[in-house]
Amino acid sequence: MSLIDISGNLLFIAFFAYILGTVFIAGSIKRNDGAASRAEKWGKIGIVVAIIGFIAQLGYFITRWIYAGHAPVSNMFEFTTAFGMFLVGAFILIYFIYRVKILGLVALPIAILFISYATMFPTEVTPLVPSLQSHWLTIHVITAAIGQSILAISAVAGLIYLLKEVDPKTPSKERFWLEAILYCCVVIIGFIVVTITFRSMGYEAEFTYIDKTGKEADIVYNMPAIFGMNEYDLKTDGVMEPLIEMPALINAKKLTTVTWSFIAGTIIYLLYRLIARKRICELLHPLVKRVNINLVDEIGYRSVLIGFPVFSLGALVFAMIWAQIAWGRFWGWDPKEVWALITWLFYAAYLHLRLSKGWEGRKSAWLALIGFAIIIFNLVFVNLVIAGLHSYA
């Protein structure tokens, strides 16, 4: 068995360990008062299984690193799996500080979604493009990912806080937006479903188009083209013609993927509502009845307090040093750079509002979720749809 096969098996083990960990933690929370000791055992087993999964994924990360000869964070598959691993690592660390296992009920499923999402992209180890052949790849990307994963724990805590505090049966703006957040999680499942579906069908459509430099290029769609590349020319017979042509700045292939994900996610969500006859937030509400909201609020704040300087170092300071080395300038207003700055400014505003204006509790929880939404937007939409110097990812 080759090293890359071992790496893939370790990721597979981690994936199912996270699923089992989620099940055990959920089982420990949905306990009867008379079975507290058994529930405690379930909770401990869930944490142990999550740790085993984290160690397995760390083994995947190290073996892939050895096989590739560089840190496995150079494309969407590698970065997204690494982000999921760092998120679980942050949860485990915070669990041993605060002993709040319910964080795993949200953090582990998010990691599962990240790994599932990642596997929809090409998983092969490929040579680095010239701009990535630097030790700053390891320093910049891994530090930024660790910072983002710690910041993500604040969103995990914020979601748990709001699931406890927002009444799922009473119509309100907060209930609407909380459900919208959970719907977005279903959209990720929709992405996985449509990718697997069209991949199993062997769908391919070849196009030529004019890129943003004015040169002709080739591209292959693996889903029916809703959006066409700039000045496209369809080369495959018997496939869907794009409905709308996009400018060169937009990667129409990836915008098509995002659109199909929303279509599939919406269908899945509506089917769930039709069958369950309740909102997702109403389904999850009983799991958070015993949550200490003051402690959860404190965890969310502390996560930003720790994650913000780490993110600042990785996503801005190290990024600018590398940009100067690779491109001869510290800042160039590339879309990825702009959104990294927006993320930094948002969390700076979070800390200001928390410390100076007393925005605690619900306000703090909503800010944490908005911040995580910005991180996900940067990871998904900016990486996939907007053409820029980071489009290789």
Side-chain angles (χ1 to χ4, degrees), residues 17 28 32 50 54 57 61 69 78 134 179 192 194 239 269 282-284 287 311 328-329 356-357 365 387:
S28 73
N32 296 318
F54 175 75
Q57 193 170 2
F61 189 78
E78 293 178 342
S134 168
E179 188 70 10
I192 296 165
V194 294
V239 296
Y269 177 78
E282 190 176 348
L283 178 72
L284 298 176
L287 297 175
F311 176 79
R329 49 54 170 188
S356 301
K357 303 295 182 181

mmCIF file with all atom_site columns, all heavy atoms in Angstrom, residues 17 28 32 50 54 57 61 69 78 134 179 192 194 239 269 282-284 287 311 328-329 356-357 365 387:
data_model
loop_
_atom_site.group_PDB
_atom_site.id
_atom_site.type_symbol
_atom_site.label_atom_id
_atom_site.label_alt_id
_atom_site.label_comp_id
_atom_site.label_asym_id
_atom_site.label_entity_id
_atom_site.label_seq_id
_atom_site.pdbx_PDB_ins_code
_atom_site.Cartn_x
_atom_site.Cartn_y
_atom_site.Cartn_z
_atom_site.occupancy
_atom_site.B_iso_or_equiv
_atom_site.pdbx_formal_charge
_atom_site.auth_seq_id
_atom_site.auth_comp_id
_atom_site.auth_asym_id
_atom_site.auth_atom_id
_atom_site.pdbx_PDB_model_num
ATOM 1   N N   . ALA A 1 17  ? -15.111 8.619  12.320  1.00 0.00 ? 17  ALA A N   1
ATOM 2   C CA  . ALA A 1 17  ? -14.939 8.875  13.747  1.00 0.00 ? 17  ALA A CA  1
ATOM 3   C C   . ALA A 1 17  ? -15.707 10.122 14.162  1.00 0.00 ? 17  ALA A C   1
ATOM 4   O O   . ALA A 1 17  ? -16.330 10.155 15.237  1.00 0.00 ? 17  ALA A O   1
ATOM 5   C CB  . ALA A 1 17  ? -13.455 9.024  14.074  1.00 0.00 ? 17  ALA A CB  1
ATOM 6   N N   . SER A 1 28  ? -25.590 11.549 24.647  1.00 0.00 ? 28  SER A N   1
ATOM 7   C CA  . SER A 1 28  ? -25.338 11.962 26.036  1.00 0.00 ? 28  SER A CA  1
ATOM 8   C C   . SER A 1 28  ? -26.162 13.174 26.426  1.00 0.00 ? 28  SER A C   1
ATOM 9   O O   . SER A 1 28  ? -26.467 13.374 27.600  1.00 0.00 ? 28  SER A O   1
ATOM 10  C CB  . SER A 1 28  ? -23.845 12.273 26.226  1.00 0.00 ? 28  SER A CB  1
ATOM 11  O OG  . SER A 1 28  ? -23.495 13.487 25.596  1.00 0.00 ? 28  SER A OG  1
ATOM 12  N N   . ASN A 1 32  ? -32.288 10.944 29.922  1.00 0.00 ? 32  ASN A N   1
ATOM 13  C CA  . ASN A 1 32  ? -33.279 11.067 30.988  1.00 0.00 ? 32  ASN A CA  1
ATOM 14  C C   . ASN A 1 32  ? -32.537 11.396 32.279  1.00 0.00 ? 32  ASN A C   1
ATOM 15  O O   . ASN A 1 32  ? -31.383 11.004 32.477  1.00 0.00 ? 32  ASN A O   1
ATOM 16  C CB  . ASN A 1 32  ? -34.058 9.755  31.149  1.00 0.00 ? 32  ASN A CB  1
ATOM 17  C CG  . ASN A 1 32  ? -34.861 9.435  29.896  1.00 0.00 ? 32  ASN A CG  1
ATOM 18  O OD1 . ASN A 1 32  ? -35.469 10.325 29.310  1.00 0.00 ? 32  ASN A OD1 1
ATOM 19  N ND2 . ASN A 1 32  ? -34.850 8.186  29.498  1.00 0.00 ? 32  ASN A ND2 1
ATOM 20  N N   . ALA A 1 50  ? -13.842 11.392 18.964  1.00 0.00 ? 50  ALA A N   1
ATOM 21  C CA  . ALA A 1 50  ? -13.470 12.612 18.222  1.00 0.00 ? 50  ALA A CA  1
ATOM 22  C C   . ALA A 1 50  ? -11.950 12.812 18.242  1.00 0.00 ? 50  ALA A C   1
ATOM 23  O O   . ALA A 1 50  ? -11.358 13.202 17.225  1.00 0.00 ? 50  ALA A O   1
ATOM 24  C CB  . ALA A 1 50  ? -14.168 13.825 18.831  1.00 0.00 ? 50  ALA A CB  1
ATOM 25  N N   . PHE A 1 54  ? -9.426  12.953 15.139  1.00 0.00 ? 54  PHE A N   1
ATOM 26  C CA  . PHE A 1 54  ? -8.469  14.051 14.932  1.00 0.00 ? 54  PHE A CA  1
ATOM 27  C C   . PHE A 1 54  ? -7.051  13.510 14.716  1.00 0.00 ? 54  PHE A C   1
ATOM 28  O O   . PHE A 1 54  ? -6.331  13.980 13.824  1.00 0.00 ? 54  PHE A O   1
ATOM 29  C CB  . PHE A 1 54  ? -8.489  14.996 16.130  1.00 0.00 ? 54  PHE A CB  1
ATOM 30  C CG  . PHE A 1 54  ? -7.460  16.090 16.057  1.00 0.00 ? 54  PHE A CG  1
ATOM 31  C CD1 . PHE A 1 54  ? -7.630  17.169 15.200  1.00 0.00 ? 54  PHE A CD1 1
ATOM 32  C CD2 . PHE A 1 54  ? -6.306  16.037 16.833  1.00 0.00 ? 54  PHE A CD2 1
ATOM 33  C CE1 . PHE A 1 54  ? -6.678  18.175 15.113  1.00 0.00 ? 54  PHE A CE1 1
ATOM 34  C CE2 . PHE A 1 54  ? -5.345  17.030 16.758  1.00 0.00 ? 54  PHE A CE2 1
ATOM 35  C CZ  . PHE A 1 54  ? -5.537  18.108 15.905  1.00 0.00 ? 54  PHE A CZ  1
ATOM 36  N N   . GLN A 1 57  ? -6.877  12.107 11.253  1.00 0.00 ? 57  GLN A N   1
ATOM 37  C CA  . GLN A 1 57  ? -6.787  13.147 10.230  1.00 0.00 ? 57  GLN A CA  1
ATOM 38  C C   . GLN A 1 57  ? -5.430  13.845 10.265  1.00 0.00 ? 57  GLN A C   1
ATOM 39  O O   . GLN A 1 57  ? -4.899  14.240 9.217   1.00 0.00 ? 57  GLN A O   1
ATOM 40  C CB  . GLN A 1 57  ? -7.906  14.170 10.385  1.00 0.00 ? 57  GLN A CB  1
ATOM 41  C CG  . GLN A 1 57  ? -8.015  15.083 9.149   1.00 0.00 ? 57  GLN A CG  1
ATOM 42  C CD  . GLN A 1 57  ? -9.248  15.945 9.141   1.00 0.00 ? 57  GLN A CD  1
ATOM 43  O OE1 . GLN A 1 57  ? -10.056 15.926 10.064  1.00 0.00 ? 57  GLN A OE1 1
ATOM 44  N NE2 . GLN A 1 57  ? -9.413  16.738 8.092   1.00 0.00 ? 57  GLN A NE2 1
ATOM 45  N N   . PHE A 1 61  ? -2.836  14.211 7.226   1.00 0.00 ? 61  PHE A N   1
ATOM 46  C CA  . PHE A 1 61  ? -2.183  15.473 6.870   1.00 0.00 ? 61  PHE A CA  1
ATOM 47  C C   . PHE A 1 61  ? -0.669  15.279 6.744   1.00 0.00 ? 61  PHE A C   1
ATOM 48  O O   . PHE A 1 61  ? -0.042  15.737 5.781   1.00 0.00 ? 61  PHE A O   1
ATOM 49  C CB  . PHE A 1 61  ? -2.505  16.512 7.952   1.00 0.00 ? 61  PHE A CB  1
ATOM 50  C CG  . PHE A 1 61  ? -2.093  17.914 7.625   1.00 0.00 ? 61  PHE A CG  1
ATOM 51  C CD1 . PHE A 1 61  ? -2.847  18.690 6.765   1.00 0.00 ? 61  PHE A CD1 1
ATOM 52  C CD2 . PHE A 1 61  ? -0.958  18.471 8.202   1.00 0.00 ? 61  PHE A CD2 1
ATOM 53  C CE1 . PHE A 1 61  ? -2.490  19.997 6.468   1.00 0.00 ? 61  PHE A CE1 1
ATOM 54  C CE2 . PHE A 1 61  ? -0.584  19.771 7.914   1.00 0.00 ? 61  PHE A CE2 1
ATOM 55  C CZ  . PHE A 1 61  ? -1.348  20.536 7.050   1.00 0.00 ? 61  PHE A CZ  1
ATOM 56  N N   . GLY A 1 69  ? 5.563   16.372 -0.684  1.00 0.00 ? 69  GLY A N   1
ATOM 57  C CA  . GLY A 1 69  ? 6.768   17.178 -0.557  1.00 0.00 ? 69  GLY A CA  1
ATOM 58  C C   . GLY A 1 69  ? 6.496   18.621 -0.192  1.00 0.00 ? 69  GLY A C   1
ATOM 59  O O   . GLY A 1 69  ? 7.398   19.455 -0.186  1.00 0.00 ? 69  GLY A O   1
ATOM 60  N N   . GLU A 1 78  ? -7.346  20.106 -0.325  1.00 0.00 ? 78  GLU A N   1
ATOM 61  C CA  . GLU A 1 78  ? -6.389  20.064 0.776   1.00 0.00 ? 78  GLU A CA  1
ATOM 62  C C   . GLU A 1 78  ? -6.696  21.111 1.842   1.00 0.00 ? 78  GLU A C   1
ATOM 63  O O   . GLU A 1 78  ? -6.676  20.818 3.042   1.00 0.00 ? 78  GLU A O   1
ATOM 64  C CB  . GLU A 1 78  ? -4.974  20.265 0.228   1.00 0.00 ? 78  GLU A CB  1
ATOM 65  C CG  . GLU A 1 78  ? -4.493  19.108 -0.640  1.00 0.00 ? 78  GLU A CG  1
ATOM 66  C CD  . GLU A 1 78  ? -3.106  19.328 -1.216  1.00 0.00 ? 78  GLU A CD  1
ATOM 67  O OE1 . GLU A 1 78  ? -2.642  20.494 -1.236  1.00 0.00 ? 78  GLU A OE1 1
ATOM 68  O OE2 . GLU A 1 78  ? -2.485  18.341 -1.653  1.00 0.00 ? 78  GLU A OE2 1
ATOM 69  N N   . SER A 1 134 ? 7.105   27.899 -2.259  1.00 0.00 ? 134 SER A N   1
ATOM 70  C CA  . SER A 1 134 ? 7.769   28.698 -1.231  1.00 0.00 ? 134 SER A CA  1
ATOM 71  C C   . SER A 1 134 ? 7.407   28.149 0.142   1.00 0.00 ? 134 SER A C   1
ATOM 72  O O   . SER A 1 134 ? 6.308   27.605 0.342   1.00 0.00 ? 134 SER A O   1
ATOM 73  C CB  . SER A 1 134 ? 7.325   30.160 -1.337  1.00 0.00 ? 134 SER A CB  1
ATOM 74  O OG  . SER A 1 134 ? 7.736   30.902 -0.212  1.00 0.00 ? 134 SER A OG  1
ATOM 75  N N   . GLU A 1 179 ? -32.939 30.070 10.964  1.00 0.00 ? 179 GLU A N   1
ATOM 76  C CA  . GLU A 1 179 ? -33.302 29.003 10.031  1.00 0.00 ? 179 GLU A CA  1
ATOM 77  C C   . GLU A 1 179 ? -32.564 29.172 8.702   1.00 0.00 ? 179 GLU A C   1
ATOM 78  O O   . GLU A 1 179 ? -32.172 28.183 8.058   1.00 0.00 ? 179 GLU A O   1
ATOM 79  C CB  . GLU A 1 179 ? -34.814 29.010 9.796   1.00 0.00 ? 179 GLU A CB  1
ATOM 80  C CG  . GLU A 1 179 ? -35.332 27.825 8.994   1.00 0.00 ? 179 GLU A CG  1
ATOM 81  C CD  . GLU A 1 179 ? -35.266 26.502 9.741   1.00 0.00 ? 179 GLU A CD  1
ATOM 82  O OE1 . GLU A 1 179 ? -34.990 26.520 10.961  1.00 0.00 ? 179 GLU A OE1 1
ATOM 83  O OE2 . GLU A 1 179 ? -35.498 25.454 9.102   1.00 0.00 ? 179 GLU A OE2 1
ATOM 84  N N   . ILE A 1 192 ? -22.910 18.460 -2.493  1.00 0.00 ? 192 ILE A N   1
ATOM 85  C CA  . ILE A 1 192 ? -22.389 17.087 -2.489  1.00 0.00 ? 192 ILE A CA  1
ATOM 86  C C   . ILE A 1 192 ? -23.272 16.178 -3.343  1.00 0.00 ? 192 ILE A C   1
ATOM 87  O O   . ILE A 1 192 ? -22.781 15.370 -4.137  1.00 0.00 ? 192 ILE A O   1
ATOM 88  C CB  . ILE A 1 192 ? -22.294 16.561 -1.037  1.00 0.00 ? 192 ILE A CB  1
ATOM 89  C CG1 . ILE A 1 192 ? -21.270 17.393 -0.247  1.00 0.00 ? 192 ILE A CG1 1
ATOM 90  C CG2 . ILE A 1 192 ? -21.914 15.080 -1.013  1.00 0.00 ? 192 ILE A CG2 1
ATOM 91  C CD1 . ILE A 1 192 ? -21.350 17.206 1.252   1.00 0.00 ? 192 ILE A CD1 1
ATOM 92  N N   . VAL A 1 194 ? -25.419 16.990 -5.888  1.00 0.00 ? 194 VAL A N   1
ATOM 93  C CA  . VAL A 1 194 ? -25.383 17.248 -7.341  1.00 0.00 ? 194 VAL A CA  1
ATOM 94  C C   . VAL A 1 194 ? -24.040 16.836 -7.930  1.00 0.00 ? 194 VAL A C   1
ATOM 95  O O   . VAL A 1 194 ? -23.974 16.350 -9.063  1.00 0.00 ? 194 VAL A O   1
ATOM 96  C CB  . VAL A 1 194 ? -25.680 18.726 -7.682  1.00 0.00 ? 194 VAL A CB  1
ATOM 97  C CG1 . VAL A 1 194 ? -27.105 19.084 -7.331  1.00 0.00 ? 194 VAL A CG1 1
ATOM 98  C CG2 . VAL A 1 194 ? -24.694 19.678 -7.041  1.00 0.00 ? 194 VAL A CG2 1
ATOM 99  N N   . VAL A 1 239 ? -25.549 18.535 -25.299 1.00 0.00 ? 239 VAL A N   1
ATOM 100 C CA  . VAL A 1 239 ? -25.532 18.986 -23.908 1.00 0.00 ? 239 VAL A CA  1
ATOM 101 C C   . VAL A 1 239 ? -26.209 20.343 -23.814 1.00 0.00 ? 239 VAL A C   1
ATOM 102 O O   . VAL A 1 239 ? -26.475 21.000 -24.816 1.00 0.00 ? 239 VAL A O   1
ATOM 103 C CB  . VAL A 1 239 ? -24.088 19.078 -23.350 1.00 0.00 ? 239 VAL A CB  1
ATOM 104 C CG1 . VAL A 1 239 ? -23.430 17.704 -23.321 1.00 0.00 ? 239 VAL A CG1 1
ATOM 105 C CG2 . VAL A 1 239 ? -23.256 20.063 -24.163 1.00 0.00 ? 239 VAL A CG2 1
ATOM 106 N N   . TYR A 1 269 ? -34.175 20.789 1.393   1.00 0.00 ? 269 TYR A N   1
ATOM 107 C CA  . TYR A 1 269 ? -34.767 21.496 2.536   1.00 0.00 ? 269 TYR A CA  1
ATOM 108 C C   . TYR A 1 269 ? -36.299 21.428 2.492   1.00 0.00 ? 269 TYR A C   1
ATOM 109 O O   . TYR A 1 269 ? -36.950 21.167 3.508   1.00 0.00 ? 269 TYR A O   1
ATOM 110 C CB  . TYR A 1 269 ? -34.313 22.947 2.546   1.00 0.00 ? 269 TYR A CB  1
ATOM 111 C CG  . TYR A 1 269 ? -34.926 23.767 3.659   1.00 0.00 ? 269 TYR A CG  1
ATOM 112 C CD1 . TYR A 1 269 ? -34.452 23.664 4.959   1.00 0.00 ? 269 TYR A CD1 1
ATOM 113 C CD2 . TYR A 1 269 ? -35.993 24.634 3.400   1.00 0.00 ? 269 TYR A CD2 1
ATOM 114 C CE1 . TYR A 1 269 ? -35.029 24.402 5.986   1.00 0.00 ? 269 TYR A CE1 1
ATOM 115 C CE2 . TYR A 1 269 ? -36.572 25.373 4.416   1.00 0.00 ? 269 TYR A CE2 1
ATOM 116 C CZ  . TYR A 1 269 ? -36.080 25.256 5.704   1.00 0.00 ? 269 TYR A CZ  1
ATOM 117 O OH  . TYR A 1 269 ? -36.667 25.981 6.716   1.00 0.00 ? 269 TYR A OH  1
ATOM 118 N N   . GLU A 1 282 ? -36.248 24.087 15.170  1.00 0.00 ? 282 GLU A N   1
ATOM 119 C CA  . GLU A 1 282 ? -37.181 23.453 16.111  1.00 0.00 ? 282 GLU A CA  1
ATOM 120 C C   . GLU A 1 282 ? -36.741 22.023 16.415  1.00 0.00 ? 282 GLU A C   1
ATOM 121 O O   . GLU A 1 282 ? -36.887 21.549 17.544  1.00 0.00 ? 282 GLU A O   1
ATOM 122 C CB  . GLU A 1 282 ? -38.592 23.461 15.517  1.00 0.00 ? 282 GLU A CB  1
ATOM 123 C CG  . GLU A 1 282 ? -39.681 23.050 16.483  1.00 0.00 ? 282 GLU A CG  1
ATOM 124 C CD  . GLU A 1 282 ? -41.065 23.177 15.883  1.00 0.00 ? 282 GLU A CD  1
ATOM 125 O OE1 . GLU A 1 282 ? -41.201 23.802 14.807  1.00 0.00 ? 282 GLU A OE1 1
ATOM 126 O OE2 . GLU A 1 282 ? -42.011 22.657 16.496  1.00 0.00 ? 282 GLU A OE2 1
ATOM 127 N N   . LEU A 1 283 ? -36.166 21.346 15.427  1.00 0.00 ? 283 LEU A N   1
ATOM 128 C CA  . LEU A 1 283 ? -35.661 19.991 15.626  1.00 0.00 ? 283 LEU A CA  1
ATOM 129 C C   . LEU A 1 283 ? -34.483 19.978 16.603  1.00 0.00 ? 283 LEU A C   1
ATOM 130 O O   . LEU A 1 283 ? -34.361 19.072 17.448  1.00 0.00 ? 283 LEU A O   1
ATOM 131 C CB  . LEU A 1 283 ? -35.226 19.404 14.280  1.00 0.00 ? 283 LEU A CB  1
ATOM 132 C CG  . LEU A 1 283 ? -34.615 17.998 14.294  1.00 0.00 ? 283 LEU A CG  1
ATOM 133 C CD1 . LEU A 1 283 ? -35.682 16.964 14.563  1.00 0.00 ? 283 LEU A CD1 1
ATOM 134 C CD2 . LEU A 1 283 ? -33.914 17.718 12.963  1.00 0.00 ? 283 LEU A CD2 1
ATOM 135 N N   . LEU A 1 284 ? -33.623 21.006 16.507  1.00 0.00 ? 284 LEU A N   1
ATOM 136 C CA  . LEU A 1 284 ? -32.402 21.050 17.323  1.00 0.00 ? 284 LEU A CA  1
ATOM 137 C C   . LEU A 1 284 ? -32.616 21.666 18.705  1.00 0.00 ? 284 LEU A C   1
ATOM 138 O O   . LEU A 1 284 ? -31.793 21.457 19.607  1.00 0.00 ? 284 LEU A O   1
ATOM 139 C CB  . LEU A 1 284 ? -31.318 21.843 16.579  1.00 0.00 ? 284 LEU A CB  1
ATOM 140 C CG  . LEU A 1 284 ? -30.865 21.277 15.228  1.00 0.00 ? 284 LEU A CG  1
ATOM 141 C CD1 . LEU A 1 284 ? -29.859 22.216 14.571  1.00 0.00 ? 284 LEU A CD1 1
ATOM 142 C CD2 . LEU A 1 284 ? -30.249 19.892 15.396  1.00 0.00 ? 284 LEU A CD2 1
ATOM 143 N N   . LEU A 1 287 ? -32.086 19.809 22.096  1.00 0.00 ? 287 LEU A N   1
ATOM 144 C CA  . LEU A 1 287 ? -30.726 19.385 22.435  1.00 0.00 ? 287 LEU A CA  1
ATOM 145 C C   . LEU A 1 287 ? -29.970 20.422 23.256  1.00 0.00 ? 287 LEU A C   1
ATOM 146 O O   . LEU A 1 287 ? -28.933 20.095 23.854  1.00 0.00 ? 287 LEU A O   1
ATOM 147 C CB  . LEU A 1 287 ? -29.940 19.075 21.148  1.00 0.00 ? 287 LEU A CB  1
ATOM 148 C CG  . LEU A 1 287 ? -30.457 17.920 20.278  1.00 0.00 ? 287 LEU A CG  1
ATOM 149 C CD1 . LEU A 1 287 ? -29.654 17.831 18.993  1.00 0.00 ? 287 LEU A CD1 1
ATOM 150 C CD2 . LEU A 1 287 ? -30.397 16.609 21.043  1.00 0.00 ? 287 LEU A CD2 1
ATOM 151 N N   . PHE A 1 311 ? -5.263  34.887 13.244  1.00 0.00 ? 311 PHE A N   1
ATOM 152 C CA  . PHE A 1 311 ? -5.722  35.178 11.876  1.00 0.00 ? 311 PHE A CA  1
ATOM 153 C C   . PHE A 1 311 ? -5.002  36.403 11.312  1.00 0.00 ? 311 PHE A C   1
ATOM 154 O O   . PHE A 1 311 ? -4.599  36.411 10.145  1.00 0.00 ? 311 PHE A O   1
ATOM 155 C CB  . PHE A 1 311 ? -7.233  35.409 11.873  1.00 0.00 ? 311 PHE A CB  1
ATOM 156 C CG  . PHE A 1 311 ? -7.782  35.812 10.537  1.00 0.00 ? 311 PHE A CG  1
ATOM 157 C CD1 . PHE A 1 311 ? -7.996  34.871 9.546   1.00 0.00 ? 311 PHE A CD1 1
ATOM 158 C CD2 . PHE A 1 311 ? -8.072  37.145 10.254  1.00 0.00 ? 311 PHE A CD2 1
ATOM 159 C CE1 . PHE A 1 311 ? -8.487  35.237 8.299   1.00 0.00 ? 311 PHE A CE1 1
ATOM 160 C CE2 . PHE A 1 311 ? -8.566  37.524 9.024   1.00 0.00 ? 311 PHE A CE2 1
ATOM 161 C CZ  . PHE A 1 311 ? -8.774  36.565 8.038   1.00 0.00 ? 311 PHE A CZ  1
ATOM 162 N N   . GLY A 1 328 ? 6.227   41.134 -5.816  1.00 0.00 ? 328 GLY A N   1
ATOM 163 C CA  . GLY A 1 328 ? 6.905   42.425 -5.768  1.00 0.00 ? 328 GLY A CA  1
ATOM 164 C C   . GLY A 1 328 ? 6.089   43.549 -5.182  1.00 0.00 ? 328 GLY A C   1
ATOM 165 O O   . GLY A 1 328 ? 6.409   44.716 -5.360  1.00 0.00 ? 328 GLY A O   1
ATOM 166 N N   . ARG A 1 329 ? 5.019   43.226 -4.447  1.00 0.00 ? 329 ARG A N   1
ATOM 167 C CA  . ARG A 1 329 ? 4.241   44.271 -3.765  1.00 0.00 ? 329 ARG A CA  1
ATOM 168 C C   . ARG A 1 329 ? 3.547   43.643 -2.552  1.00 0.00 ? 329 ARG A C   1
ATOM 169 O O   . ARG A 1 329 ? 3.232   42.463 -2.529  1.00 0.00 ? 329 ARG A O   1
ATOM 170 C CB  . ARG A 1 329 ? 3.232   44.928 -4.700  1.00 0.00 ? 329 ARG A CB  1
ATOM 171 C CG  . ARG A 1 329 ? 2.279   44.118 -5.576  1.00 0.00 ? 329 ARG A CG  1
ATOM 172 C CD  . ARG A 1 329 ? 1.460   43.131 -4.894  1.00 0.00 ? 329 ARG A CD  1
ATOM 173 N NE  . ARG A 1 329 ? 0.394   42.486 -5.616  1.00 0.00 ? 329 ARG A NE  1
ATOM 174 C CZ  . ARG A 1 329 ? -0.468  41.712 -5.010  1.00 0.00 ? 329 ARG A CZ  1
ATOM 175 N NH1 . ARG A 1 329 ? -0.384  41.491 -3.724  1.00 0.00 ? 329 ARG A NH1 1
ATOM 176 N NH2 . ARG A 1 329 ? -1.412  41.107 -5.692  1.00 0.00 ? 329 ARG A NH2 1
ATOM 177 N N   . SER A 1 356 ? -16.296 47.752 24.289  1.00 0.00 ? 356 SER A N   1
ATOM 178 C CA  . SER A 1 356 ? -16.635 49.159 24.529  1.00 0.00 ? 356 SER A CA  1
ATOM 179 C C   . SER A 1 356 ? -18.137 49.413 24.648  1.00 0.00 ? 356 SER A C   1
ATOM 180 O O   . SER A 1 356 ? -18.561 50.304 25.384  1.00 0.00 ? 356 SER A O   1
ATOM 181 C CB  . SER A 1 356 ? -16.075 50.035 23.402  1.00 0.00 ? 356 SER A CB  1
ATOM 182 O OG  . SER A 1 356 ? -14.672 49.902 23.323  1.00 0.00 ? 356 SER A OG  1
ATOM 183 N N   . LYS A 1 357 ? -18.924 48.651 23.912  1.00 0.00 ? 357 LYS A N   1
ATOM 184 C CA  . LYS A 1 357 ? -20.366 48.902 23.868  1.00 0.00 ? 357 LYS A CA  1
ATOM 185 C C   . LYS A 1 357 ? -21.185 47.866 24.643  1.00 0.00 ? 357 LYS A C   1
ATOM 186 O O   . LYS A 1 357 ? -22.404 47.964 24.709  1.00 0.00 ? 357 LYS A O   1
ATOM 187 C CB  . LYS A 1 357 ? -20.847 48.927 22.410  1.00 0.00 ? 357 LYS A CB  1
ATOM 188 C CG  . LYS A 1 357 ? -20.128 49.955 21.531  1.00 0.00 ? 357 LYS A CG  1
ATOM 189 C CD  . LYS A 1 357 ? -20.404 51.367 21.980  1.00 0.00 ? 357 LYS A CD  1
ATOM 190 C CE  . LYS A 1 357 ? -19.719 52.367 21.046  1.00 0.00 ? 357 LYS A CE  1
ATOM 191 N NZ  . LYS A 1 357 ? -19.946 53.758 21.474  1.00 0.00 ? 357 LYS A NZ  1
ATOM 192 N N   . ALA A 1 365 ? -23.562 36.724 19.749  1.00 0.00 ? 365 ALA A N   1
ATOM 193 C CA  . ALA A 1 365 ? -23.774 35.451 19.037  1.00 0.00 ? 365 ALA A CA  1
ATOM 194 C C   . ALA A 1 365 ? -24.044 35.703 17.555  1.00 0.00 ? 365 ALA A C   1
ATOM 195 O O   . ALA A 1 365 ? -23.497 35.010 16.688  1.00 0.00 ? 365 ALA A O   1
ATOM 196 C CB  . ALA A 1 365 ? -24.935 34.687 19.669  1.00 0.00 ? 365 ALA A CB  1
ATOM 197 N N   . ALA A 1 387 ? -12.516 35.518 -10.387 1.00 0.00 ? 387 ALA A N   1
ATOM 198 C CA  . ALA A 1 387 ? -11.167 35.256 -10.911 1.00 0.00 ? 387 ALA A CA  1
ATOM 199 C C   . ALA A 1 387 ? -10.178 36.210 -10.259 1.00 0.00 ? 387 ALA A C   1
ATOM 200 O O   . ALA A 1 387 ? -10.424 37.406 -10.148 1.00 0.00 ? 387 ALA A O   1
ATOM 201 C CB  . ALA A 1 387 ? -11.146 35.424 -12.423 1.00 0.00 ? 387 ALA A CB  1
#
